[in-house]
């Protein structure tokens, strides 16, 4: 599971006064400056942003930090940038392999059994809310997804698997980092691709991800400090990934 963005540790103290941006020394990208220091990744590489917009957004995250310490959990764009710069180039095949391994168990393929009162309402909502996304998958990739009731997933058409994998292989590092982050938070590569391709917005995606749990909350009630925190955390994870993707795209 991804680290929660709502809670986390304080790391050291704020050691800088001014945060600025400037063009990278090689002219290829943009850097964030903490006073006279170039912002670096955890492995001590200069953090180079593909666009000025992303550099300014990351600078804002660092400007937000309090004097008593740095709070990494409040800097999702910094985290995604480091992932795209360091992790994705080194482990791209493994990231894609992991995403495709989880694909048969995708959240949107799993249907609740409709043979009892507890699950019949869930099934109705799944058909109403998720079927349009599955129809988009069929239209976009040329193969009809199979739905199942098994927790362990079900086999998908080899053509659909190949088409999805082909899309992942064509992504750049920032795009793959975004898709991986959303898929991890959503338990759904399909939802991640729906966002990536512009089929889903943030709120639509969150509704699909939380469909079953929200129905349970409606029936049994909200646990304060539990369900509400989960919703806020999920919204930060999805929204920050969407913002990151938009900021990395050169106009």
């Amino acid at each position: 599971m991804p680290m929660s963005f709502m809670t986390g540790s304080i790391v050291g103290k704020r050691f800088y006064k001014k945060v600025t941006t400037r063009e990278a020394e090689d002219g290829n990208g943009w850097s964030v400056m903490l006073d006279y220091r170039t912002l670096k990744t955890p492995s001590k590489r200069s953090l180079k942003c593909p666009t000025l917009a992303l550099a300014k957004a990351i600078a804002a995250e660092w400007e937000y930090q309090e004097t008593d310490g740095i709070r990494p959990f409040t800097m999702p764009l910094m985290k995604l940038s480091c992932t795209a710069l360091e992790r994705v180039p080194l482990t791209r095949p493994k990231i894609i392999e992991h995403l495709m391994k989880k694909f048969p168990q995708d959240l949107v393929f799993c249907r609740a059994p409709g043979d009892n009162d507890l699950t019949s309402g869930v099934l109705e909502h799944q058909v109403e809310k998720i079927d349009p996304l599955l129809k988009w998958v069929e239209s976009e990739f040329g193969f009809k997804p199979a739905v199942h009731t098994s927790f362990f997933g079900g086999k998908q058409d080899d053509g659909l698997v190949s088409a999805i994998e082909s899309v992942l292989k064509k992504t750049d590092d920032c795009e793959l980092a975004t898709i991986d982050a959303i898929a991890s938070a959503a338990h759904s590569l399909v939802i991640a691709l729906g966002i990536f391709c512009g089929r889903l917005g943030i709120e639509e995606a969150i509704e699909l991800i939380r469909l079953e749990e929200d129905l349970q909350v409606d029936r049994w009630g909200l646990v304060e400090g539990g369900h509400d925190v989960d919703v806020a955390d999920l919204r930060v994870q999805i929204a920050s990934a969407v913002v990151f993707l938009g900021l990395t795209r050169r106009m």
Side-chain angles (χ1 to χ4, degrees):
M1 294 293 292
M3 180 190 75
S4 172
F5 285 110
M6 305 307 295
T7 59
S9 301
I10 298 177
V11 181
K13 291 185 177 181
R14 176 166 174 160
F15 55 87
Y16 55 92
K17 294 182 179 180
K18 187 177 181 180
V19 185
T20 57
T21 58
R22 73 176 187 188
E23 191 172 7
E25 292 183 358
D26 62 2
N28 184 24
W30 298 85
S31 298
V32 176
M33 306 298 296
L34 306 180
D35 294 332
Y36 60 88
R37 307 174 184 88
T38 301
L39 179 61
K40 297 184 182 298
T41 68
S43 65
K44 309 303 181 184
R45 294 177 58 186
S46 295
L47 182 71
K48 190 181 298 184
C49 301
T51 66
L52 177 58
L54 178 60
K56 286 185 175 295
I58 293 174
E61 289 183 335
W62 282 89
E63 185 61 56
Y64 168 82
Q65 301 306 305
E66 302 291 341
T67 56
D68 66 333
I70 307 299
R71 293 165 169 79
F73 57 92
T74 64
M75 295 190 282
L77 298 178
M78 174 70 182
K79 179 182 178 182
L80 284 164
S81 295
C82 291
T83 298
L85 182 64
E86 296 190 327
R87 176 172 170 253
V88 175
L90 295 176
T91 62
R92 169 177 283 271
K94 290 185 178 181
I95 293 173
I96 295 175
E97 180 183 1
H98 176 75
L99 288 170
M100 296 311 303
K101 183 178 180 180
K102 295 290 185 180
F103 181 62
Q105 302 166 5
D106 198 287
L107 173 71
V108 303
F109 299 150
C110 186
R111 289 295 164 88
D115 54 0
N116 61 68
D117 292 339
L118 288 176
T119 59
S120 60
V122 176
L123 178 60
E124 291 174 3
H125 278 77
Q126 287 177 327
V127 170
E128 177 187 355
K129 300 294 185 179
I130 296 179
D131 273 14
L133 182 60
L134 297 182
K135 290 179 180 178
W136 170 79
V137 171
E138 182 178 3
S139 174
E140 183 77 10
F141 300 104
F143 299 91
K144 184 177 181 179
V147 297
H148 54 77
T149 57
S150 172
F151 177 79
F152 300 101
K155 181 176 174 55
Q156 294 295 328
D157 190 293
D158 290 341
L160 178 59
V161 172
S162 296
I164 296 293
E165 188 172 9
S166 178
V167 170
L168 297 179
K169 289 180 177 179
K170 293 176 182 177
T171 57
D172 62 32
D173 292 341
C174 290
E175 291 172 338
L176 186 57
T178 299
I179 292 171
D180 186 41
I182 296 174
S184 179
H187 304 288
S188 172
L189 177 56
V190 173
I191 289 176
L193 289 174
I195 293 174
F196 175 71
C197 295
R199 171 59 179 79
L200 292 175
I202 295 171
E203 294 302 325
E204 291 175 292
I206 291 172
E207 182 182 16
L208 294 180
I209 296 166
R210 290 192 50 82
L211 184 63
E212 183 174 352
E213 189 165 359
D214 282 345
L215 289 173
Q216 295 297 330
V217 169
D218 289 342
R219 175 171 292 190
W220 305 109
L222 175 75
V223 177
E224 293 187 5
H227 291 127
D228 50 347
V229 172
D230 290 344
V231 172
D233 186 45
L234 178 63
R235 181 167 281 108
V236 170
Q237 292 184 60
I238 300 299
S240 60
V242 172
V243 169
F244 175 76
L245 180 63
L247 292 175
T248 61
R249 288 176 168 170
R250 298 178 176 87
M251 302 302 292

